Structures are given as C-alpha cells and as structure tokens.
C-alpha cells in the first residue's frame, strides 16, 4: 500500500504509537480555554512542562484556530503549541487545518522529528490531523539546483494514541497517505513547467506509472491515431503545436464487470489562446491549464495505491494550444468524434473542443455508471466563485447534490451551478454548424461552456428509451491554483478534487 513512483514526491513518514513518550519536538494541539497541560505525559522535561503551563495559565497562548507558539525548555525539549479554536466548533477539517498549520510553522529549530499528542480527539480526528500534515508537507523543487545538493531529510511524525484505537488509526493513516500521494502527484504534474510538460510527456509519465501496477492499464492514442479515429476537437486544438496532442486512457481493475465511473480531464499543457491570442499578463499561469488531466491522473493514483478494487476509467485530452501556420482559425468548422460539427469562433475556447471528444469517447467506448469531467475551463467561473469553490454542473440534480456533499465532506468545495435550456440554445444556434464554441454575448460564460459540453455527452439506449448518461462537469479554473485560503497548499497547483473523487467513489 502507498507505493510511490520515483518522481512522485514522497510524503512524510507518519507512524503511530500507543503511549505517551515524546521524541523530538512535542506538537500539542489545544482548544481555547485550556489552562494546564493535560495529564499523562511522560518524558516532557520539567522546565518545558512548566513553561507550557505558564503560557496557558497566563493566557499568553489563546489557542485560536491555526495559531502556533514554540517553546524551548532550559533543560532540553521543544514544544509547538497549535490552536484548535473553540471545542464546540471542532470538526474533522479543524484538525486537518491544524495539522497543515503545524507544517507551515516548522523551521530548522524544530528538527525533523515530531511527536503529536492529541488528547481527547476521536480516531478519525487524529487521522485528519495527520492528513493535514501530510498534505501540507509538499514543495516543488525539482528545478532548484541548490536544494538538490543539500539533501533535506524527510519529516517524520509520530501520533500518540490509545492502545485500543492503534490498529484502526494506523490503517486509516496508511490509506490517507496513499490518497495524499495522489494529491501530490496532481500538484507535481500541474507545477511542472510547460517546456517539460507537453502532451506526449504526460502520456509517457502515465505509461511509466502503470508499470507499477498489475491491475492498471494505460493506452495512449497518439496524434496519428486521433486523426484516424476522427477526434476532430483534439486534433484542431493540438495541430498548431510542434508537440502533438494525444488522448490517454487509464483503466483500473478493467476485469471487473458492470458499470463504472469514468473521469475525463482537460489537459491543455499550455494555453496561449491560439490565434485568438491571450494578453501577455500572467500567461505563464496557463501551464496549469492541464489541471483537469492532473486531477484524473492523481485520482487514478490515489485509488490504485490505496488498493481500491472497483473498476474506474480515466480519460485525459492532452494538447498544447499554440498560434502557428498550422493552427486552427476563428471561423473554422470542425467535425468531432461524435459526428457533430462545431463552428470555432474563438480558438481560446479550446478546452470544450478537446473535451467534446473525451466525453463522447467516455460514453461510447465504455459503459459508465456516470461521467465526471474536470477542467480549468473558463475565466467566467473565477469571476462567479473566486478561488473559493469549483463550479459544479450536472444533468442529474440528485447526482450533483451527492457530488456537492462529497466535496463538502473533504472541504474541497464544489458549488452547484445551473444547466439551463437557454444556455444550450445559445450554444447550438450557429448559422453553419451544429454548435458554436462561443456564446452569443459575454454573460454567463461558465454556464454556456457547461451547456456546450452537455451536447457531447452520449445517450444510453435508442429512440424513446434514450436517456443521457449521468454526467457532471467541474470547472476548476479558480481552484486548481491561486487558492490562497486553502491551508493545505503553500503555493502553486492545489491538486484539488483528488480527495473529493476518492470520497465519492469509495465512500471513504
Ligand atoms: N484556460 C482558459 C480558462 C481560464 C482563464 C482558466 C483564466 C483560468 C484562468 C480557457 O481556455 C479560456 O481561455 N476560456 C475563455 C473562453 C472564452 C474565449 C469564451 C475565457 O474564459 O476567457
Ligand atoms: Zn483558452
Ligand atoms: Zn484553456
């Protein structure tokens, strides 16, 4: 369990111990109003103990949520106090954030060995604290030549617990560690600079990853094959780049029979806008435009490495959107895998073009229980929801509610948005094609994009029995990077929704 591949950053080592011994720095989570060090500690040097008691008694450490204080005993020993806020408001995410805040506050003086002593917390909340530490213990320094020479030792944390909860806590932390490695994989993929992260490079990483698992298969549909199959959306977006597009299909537990989830990801490894060129400011951020594909790859890794036994398929639509003499033009009409045509009115609305082929492939080559797509699709979604929530659309209200609930459960908020017939009408009233990739005006741009995608979700069955496959769309333009209030992340790609999908698919 928790196997990792070479280039996926190792998560910190977390162990558990049923006892009260302290090794290294004592990490002490505390609620507001606690005035003395809880009973039952062994091995806390006397002067450190009295220091802790003094700051608590004097109210110098108020234990407001996510505040920290470091204390050093004169006869040795160090402690890091971490506030949990009001006991009455505490929930799993309180502990997750506190764990993350500990890692944020660490400096050289704390050393690499921590012992966490959480008194009175449930097993689930202890695990959430460990999860927060593991999630936040991430940095992307592959391109820092100095750091490499220094060889930083990995952080090791021990969580003290009671004898009777030891085996449950250890199993939960092991599972969470596998999921965290999926989040970190998504972040690694997103943070990778676009000169090294291009469609076939992503595919090569997927193929290398699959070698580690007997129950995983990765298929790469390269540019030539995509053209042969009629993937007109993927080809049109990718053909302007020297680095050609491809589709990568991940299958976990392919031998299992029956309907299964299919995840689809937008994987634009760099979005210049194409001939409808974007303005220069912050264009570097468009390296994150493959965030949807990273979410899919990260989720596949989280599921595979945590030993999930159900069948899941992931499809990523990889292309680099470049202006060139081979690039598509505004005004072009393309024919997608579905046979439906699209009038391309703006080459910067490219995500929906590659997804049109991915969604159709999902519903026609497989038998999905449901399809969920992830895409950094529209600036309009960032206007609507800021960096605080992903936009969530679905053709099934109950399904949308269940996804919303799963996202809340793991504190990766996805907020319900409307899929209205008027938006569909707007996207299908091209004078010369079946659909158009641009709305009639600038309003509701995230909704018109979602309504466009819906045109490419296949039906199940024929004639009067035909019913569209259950589908949801998640616009992660505001949440895949730049989310400053996300305490699990220092900077760069967030790896959002790997945990949401693990929760939704496995129930855990
Ligand atoms: N990748 C962008 C969306 C985006 C923009 C994500 C800013 C995050 C931050 C997408 O391909 C795009 O350019 N969309 C256009 C659509 C428009 C031309 C209809 C947009 O949002 O402006
Ligand atoms: Zn674009
Ligand atoms: Zn884009």
């Amino acid at each position: 369990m928790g196997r990792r591949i070479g280039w996926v950053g190792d998560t910190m080592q977390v162990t558990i111990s049923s006892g009260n011994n302290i090794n290294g720095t004592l990490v002490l989570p505390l609620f507001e109003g606690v005035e003395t060090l809880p009973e039952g500690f062994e091995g806390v040097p006397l002067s450190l103990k009295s220091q802790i008691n003094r700051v608590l008694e004097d109210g110098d450490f108020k234990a407001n949520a996510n505040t920290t204080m470091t204390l050093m005993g004169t006869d040795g020993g160090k402690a890091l106090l971490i506030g949990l806020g009001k006991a009455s408001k505490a929930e799993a995410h309180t502990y997750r954030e506190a764990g993350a805040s500990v890692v944020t506050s660490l400096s050289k003086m704390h050393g690499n060995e921590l012992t966490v002593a959480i008194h009175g917390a449930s097993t689930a909340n202890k695990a959430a604290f460990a999860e927060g530490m593991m999630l936040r213990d991430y940095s992307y320094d592959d391109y820092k030549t100095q750091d490499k020479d220094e060889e930083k030792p990995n952080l090791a944390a021990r969580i003290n617990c009671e004898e009777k909860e030891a085996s449950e806590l250890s199993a939960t932390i092991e599972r969470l560690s596998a999921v965290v490695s999926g989040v970190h994989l998504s972040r690694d993929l997103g943070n990778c600079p676009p000169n090294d992260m291009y469609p076939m490079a992503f595919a090569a990483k997927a193929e290398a990853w699959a070698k580690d698992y007997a129950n995983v298969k990765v298929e790469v549909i390269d540019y030539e094959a995509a053209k042969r199959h009629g993937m007109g959306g993927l080809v049109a977006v990718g053909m302007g780049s020297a680095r050609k597009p491809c589709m990568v299909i991940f299958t976990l537990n392919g031998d299992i029979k029956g309907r299964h989830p299919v995840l689809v990801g937008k994987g634009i490894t760099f979005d210049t806008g194409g001939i409808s060129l974007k303005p220069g400011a912050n264009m570097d951020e468009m390296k994150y435009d493959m965030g949807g594909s990273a979410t899919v790859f990260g989720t596949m890794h989280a599921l595979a490495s945590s030993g999930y036994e159900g069948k899941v398929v992931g499809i990523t639509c990889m292309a680099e959107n470049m202006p060139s003499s081979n690039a598509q033009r505004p005004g072009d009409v393309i024919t997608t895998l579905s046979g439906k045509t699209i009038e391309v009115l703006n080459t910067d609305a490219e995500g929906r073009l590659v997804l049109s082929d991915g969604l159709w492939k999902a519903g026609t080559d497989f038998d999905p229980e449901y399809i969920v797509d992830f895409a950094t699709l529209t600036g309009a979604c960032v206007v609507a929801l800021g960096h605080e929530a992903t936009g969530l659309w679905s053709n099934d209200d109950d399904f949308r509610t269940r996804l919303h609930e799963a996202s809340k459960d793991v504190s990766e908020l996805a907020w319900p948005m409307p899929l209205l017939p008027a938006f569909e009408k707007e996207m299908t009233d091209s004078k010369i094609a079946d659909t158009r990739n641009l709305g009639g005006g600038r309003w509701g741009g995230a909704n018109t994009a979602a309504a466009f995608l819906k045109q490419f979700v296949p039906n199940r069955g024929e004639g009067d029995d035909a019913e569209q496959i259950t589908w949801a769309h998640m616009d992660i333009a505001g949440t895949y990077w730049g989310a400053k209030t996300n305490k699990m992340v220092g900077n760069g790609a967030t790896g959002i929704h790997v945990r949401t999908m693990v929760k939704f698919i496995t129930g855990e």
Side-chain angles (χ1 to χ4, degrees), residues 12 14 16 29 66 84 90-103 116 118 121-137 159 165 168-177 180 409-411 487-488 499:
M12 69 191 290
V14 178
I16 63 148
N66 303 309
L84 294 169
E91 50 186 14
H93 197 55
T94 313
Y95 287 89
R96 205 182 281 125
E97 286 199 330
S101 299
V102 165
V103 175
V116 183
I118 318 179
S122 67
T123 310
N125 287 344
K126 286 183 180 127
F129 192 93
E131 184 186 22
M133 283 200 294
M134 292 189 289
L135 281 168
R136 184 60 183 79
D137 183 38
I159 316 272
E165 62 179 346
E168 189 191 340
L169 182 59
S170 133
T172 308
I173 290 178
E174 192 173 6
R175 185 178 59 75
L176 289 173
S177 155
V180 167
D409 283 349
V410 301
S411 289
K487 288 205 164 49
M488 306 303 132
R499 294 191 301 113

Side-chain angles (χ1 to χ4, degrees), residues 91-93 96 131 401-414 499-500 503-504 507-508:
E91 50 186 14
H93 197 55
R96 205 182 281 125
E131 184 186 22
T401 302
R402 290 201 293 125
L403 267 173
H404 172 56
E405 293 296 332
S407 80
K408 278 203 296 190
D409 283 349
V410 301
S411 289
E412 293 182 329
L413 211 54
R499 294 191 301 113
T500 307
K503 173 82 190 173
F504 191 72
E508 286 195 296

Side-chain angles (χ1 to χ4, degrees), residues 271 273 278 289 321 347-350:
D271 182 11
K278 284 184 179 296
D289 210 22
N321 190 20
T347 64
D348 196 13
E350 84 298 336

Side-chain angles (χ1 to χ4, degrees), residues 266 268 270-273 278 286 288-290 321 347-352 375-378:
K266 168 178 172 180
I268 302 299
F270 196 75
D271 182 11
T272 64
K278 284 184 179 296
M286 284 298 121
Y288 297 116
D289 210 22
M290 36 61 70
N321 190 20
T347 64
D348 196 13
E350 84 298 336
R352 59 196 78 183
T376 48
L377 201 64
T378 63

Side-chain angles (χ1 to χ4, degrees), residues 411-428:
S411 289
E412 293 182 329
L413 211 54
W415 204 261
M417 300 283 279
L419 196 61
L420 304 178
F423 295 130
E424 288 191 60
K425 196 156 177 287
E426 189 173 336
M427 301 309 283
T428 49

Side-chain angles (χ1 to χ4, degrees), residues 79-329:
L80 180 64
L81 314 187
I82 164 77
L84 294 169
K86 290 195 178 17
S88 59
K89 286 198 179 153
E91 50 186 14
H93 197 55
T94 313
Y95 287 89
R96 205 182 281 125
E97 286 199 330
S101 299
V102 165
V103 175
T104 309
S105 312
L106 288 179
S107 64
K108 248 192 182 136
M109 65 182 286
H110 297 103
N112 293 306
E113 213 179 330
L114 310 174
T115 300
V116 183
I118 318 179
H119 275 240
S122 67
T123 310
N125 287 344
K126 286 183 180 127
F129 192 93
E131 184 186 22
M133 283 200 294
M134 292 189 289
L135 281 168
R136 184 60 183 79
D137 183 38
Y138 171 91
S139 59
Y140 187 73
D141 38 30
D142 287 7
Y143 291 82
K144 293 251 190 206
T145 54
Q146 249 169 353
D147 278 4
K148 268 213 185 85
D149 298 342
E150 270 180 25
E151 260 317 307
K152 275 189 276 175
N154 277 347
L155 203 57
R158 212 180 68 186
I159 316 272
N160 284 354
C161 68
E162 288 172 43
E163 183 80 52
K164 59 178 192 292
E165 62 179 346
S167 67
E168 189 191 340
L169 182 59
S170 133
T172 308
I173 290 178
E174 192 173 6
R175 185 178 59 75
L176 289 173
S177 155
V179 177
V180 167
S181 71
V183 177
H184 288 177
L185 169 56
S186 169
R187 298 188 63 186
D188 278 350
L189 294 165
N191 287 329
C192 185
N195 50 335
D196 284 341
M197 176 54 64
Y198 49 93
M200 287 304 278
F202 181 98
K205 285 183 193 294
E207 283 176 322
W209 168 79
K211 288 205 173 79
D212 270 4
Y213 298 91
N215 57 343
V216 157
K217 207 183 88 195
V218 163
E219 182 197 354
V220 178
I221 299 175
D222 67 13
Y223 183 48
E224 295 305 322
K227 280 196 286 190
R228 264 197 325 274
H229 292 153
M231 296 181 168
L234 188 77
V235 166
V237 174
M239 68 189 185
S241 170
R243 283 115 144 243
K244 292 298 182 238
C246 62
M247 187 179 278
V248 183
I249 302 180
F250 303 72
T251 306
L252 174 65
N253 300 318
D255 294 341
I256 305 286
K257 299 278 169 276
R259 288 186 183 158
H260 54 86
V262 182
L263 313 179
V264 179
K266 168 178 172 180
I268 302 299
T269 57
F270 196 75
D271 182 11
T272 64
I275 296 296
S276 313
L277 194 65
K278 284 184 179 296
N282 303 323
M283 206 205 269
D284 59 292
E285 294 185 351
M286 284 298 121
K287 74 168 184 174
Y288 297 116
D289 210 22
M290 36 61 70
S293 65
T295 307
V296 171
F297 193 169
T299 303
M300 297 307 290
H301 177 71
L303 292 169
S305 66
S306 61
Y308 181 62
E309 290 177 349
K311 178 173 175 178
V312 181
V313 169
I315 298 178
T316 62
C317 311
M318 313 305 302
E320 185 176 54
N321 190 20
M322 286 292 216
S324 81
S325 66
N326 299 318
Q328 65 172 336
R329 294 148 289 257

Side-chain angles (χ1 to χ4, degrees), residues 392-405 416-420 470-472:
L392 169 62
W393 291 257
S394 176
N395 57 358
D396 176 329
D397 289 353
D398 175 57
F399 184 69
R400 192 189 56 215
T401 302
R402 290 201 293 125
L403 267 173
H404 172 56
E405 293 296 332
M417 300 283 279
L419 196 61
L420 304 178
T470 303
W471 155 78

